[in-house]
Amino acid sequence: MLYRLLTGDDTSAFCHKVSAALATGWELHGAPAYAYDAQNNVMRCAQAVVKRDHAPYAPDMKLGQQ
């Protein structure tokens, strides 16, 4: 099983990142997380995703291309 943690500002771009992962076979893993970044005055998001069907794992693989 492959694991990725998608992160970004709380914008539609983050939602598109998660949607793109789901469209390519990744599945949500747990609830999203949100935190306020006071230095940049923005909310940050994180969502874990997993994928079961994939090429054999290698440390140098590009997870977003799986």
Side-chain angles (χ1 to χ4, degrees), residues 12-36:
S12 62
F14 177 75
C15 294
H16 286 287
K17 184 188 290 191
V18 174
S19 294
L22 295 174
T24 57
W26 292 85
E27 300 174 21
L28 298 176
H29 183 72
Y34 298 92
Y36 181 67

Side-chain angles (χ1 to χ4, degrees), residues 1-3 5 9 12 16-18 20 29-30 32-33 36 44 50-52 54-55 63:
M1 178 182 300
L2 297 177
Y3 172 89
L5 181 63
D9 292 351
S12 62
H16 286 287
K17 184 188 290 191
V18 174
H29 183 72
Y36 181 67
R44 305 262 187 214
V50 294
K51 192 170 195 179
R52 299 177 201 295
H54 57 82
L63 293 174

Side-chain angles (χ1 to χ4, degrees), residues 28-61:
L28 298 176
H29 183 72
Y34 298 92
Y36 181 67
D37 177 350
Q39 182 175 353
N40 294 300
N41 196 34
V42 296
M43 289 297 292
R44 305 262 187 214
C45 303
Q47 174 64 60
V49 293
V50 294
K51 192 170 195 179
R52 299 177 201 295
D53 299 321
H54 57 82
Y57 175 74
D60 60 339
M61 70 189 326

